[in-house]
Amino acid sequence: MAEDYRDYIGRRERRLDVVTAGPLEGLAALLDATLAEVSPGGTLPPLWHWFFFLHWVRRSEVGTDGHPRRGGFLPPVTLPRRMFAGARLTFHDGVRIGDPVERVSTIQSVQEKTGSTGPLVFVTVRHEVSGPRGLAVVEEQDLVYRGPESGAARQAAEAPPPPIPAGAWRREVQPDPVMLFRFSALTANGHRIHYDRPYATGVEGYPGLVVHGPLQAVLLLDLVRRERPERQVRAFEFRARRPLFDGSPFWCVGQVEADQVELSTRDAEGRIAMTGRATLA
């Protein structure tokens, strides 16, 4: 299958934007903070470039799941379910409110694999974000496409979750439909699993609304900000392990050792949903 998409490898897309305060104020409010707290001096916090370069497609170009119809920059993978599986980022220089910014995106690879639930297609996209002072962010995103199996498919037997280490940072988050809707709006994410309960439960088979992977990643770095406000994040990587849903609280957990912070989100039973690692300056 991947050979069908060989022409997409190396494809590039360029987008321009200006860093404005509006999206930053919206996300700060979602995090129950002020813009001055999360963005001292008007500097864009790490990961917050996700709230720019948004792609609002016409209504006629939206698929039944709320994503844009297949094709365009990304390869037209026919598998119906798509998710943001993880990313690796390096932060070179902060951009500031008022800066014009550019993002150049390149499709690095398209790979077909077979998992426990059937065929999978992995697409890796590299983004380079630049501002007036040069290169600001380099990011490699992993997107995974999978078949139409139920989101509530039985999980394989697993060992009891590891306990939260003594002395670890922890913050409880109570996800609700308003929080998920607001994050979807801030990121132009129309995927219905995050705000349309009948669709999420009746079509994709989940037990509730799905907490965005990028929202979990933002909350993990916000935990670092709260615990080490004097430090800067120079690199961050994360991987989604299992979904989280509204209706139950989850935990953001961090354990620092020298310049590394091991991070995770955990559901109410302590099971790990996302893992991450931040490198501090």
Side-chain angles (χ1 to χ4, degrees):
M1 182 183 299
E3 187 173 344
D4 296 340
Y5 308 125
R6 183 162 40 192
D7 290 344
Y8 280 81
I9 297 174
R11 176 172 288 204
R12 305 184 81 190
E13 178 185 71
R14 177 174 175 261
R15 289 184 176 275
L16 302 175
D17 208 338
V18 176
V19 178
T20 56
L24 307 184
E25 290 173 342
L27 184 58
L30 187 149
L31 297 175
D32 205 19
T34 66
L35 183 57
E37 289 177 81
V38 298
S39 179
T43 299
L44 197 69
L47 296 185
W48 287 33
H49 63 286
W50 286 345
F51 304 92
F52 299 91
F53 312 107
L54 302 183
H55 182 39
W56 289 98
V57 302
R58 295 166 57 179
R59 287 185 60 197
S60 59
E61 298 172 352
V62 176
T64 56
D65 61 357
H67 278 309
R69 295 187 187 278
R70 303 303 166 87
F73 171 65
L74 291 172
V77 178
T78 56
L79 295 174
R81 305 286 188 253
R82 189 182 94 185
M83 65 175 290
F84 187 175
R88 297 157 298 283
L89 302 101
T90 304
F91 304 100
H92 293 277
D93 181 58
V95 295
R96 298 170 180 80
I97 294 174
D99 281 351
V101 285
E102 174 188 69
R103 187 186 72 186
V104 177
S105 304
T106 307
I107 296 178
Q108 286 196 309
S109 67
V110 184
Q111 300 180 56
E112 180 186 17
K113 299 183 179 182
T114 300
S116 60
T117 58
L120 303 167
V121 174
F122 289 85
V123 179
T124 299
V125 182
R126 178 184 174 91
H127 300 291
E128 296 182 353
V129 178
S130 300
R133 289 161 294 281
L135 185 65
V137 183
V138 175
E139 173 179 12
E140 291 183 347
Q141 286 186 0
D142 297 324
L143 307 176
V144 60
Y145 297 79
R146 57 182 177 81
E149 76 283 351
S150 167
R154 185 182 301 275
Q155 297 284 340
E158 56 184 64
I164 295 176
W169 308 336
R170 63 179 76 190
R171 184 179 181 224
E172 184 179 17
V173 178
Q174 180 67 60
D176 57 41
V178 175
M179 181 185 201
L180 303 186
F181 169 78
R182 291 173 73 177
F183 192 83
S184 290
L186 285 165
T187 54
N189 184 347
H191 198 184
R192 293 167 64 183
I193 62 173
H194 303 302
Y195 60 86
D196 184 339
R197 191 177 304 278
Y199 176 86
T201 59
V203 177
E204 297 216 14
Y206 290 113
L209 298 176
V210 180
V211 179
H212 313 66
L215 173 56
Q216 295 179 54
V218 167
L219 287 166
L220 288 176
L221 286 195
D222 191 58
L223 177 68
V224 176
R225 176 191 67 82
R226 291 168 184 268
E227 297 291 341
R228 291 291 187 273
E230 75 283 0
R231 304 293 296 273
Q232 289 185 319
V233 175
R234 287 302 184 196
F236 181 54
E237 59 184 86
F238 65 91
R239 175 66 55 184
R241 304 294 181 184
R242 63 185 302 129
L244 291 173
F245 307 100
D246 75 322
S248 296
F250 66 89
W251 292 89
C252 293
V253 178
Q255 187 172 25
V256 64
E257 183 174 344
D259 293 334
Q260 300 280 329
V261 185
E262 298 296 329
L263 296 157
S264 63
T265 58
R266 298 178 181 236
D267 66 16
E269 286 73 46
R271 294 172 298 191
I272 293 176
M274 175 176 284
T275 55
R277 175 182 297 116
T279 301
L280 306 181

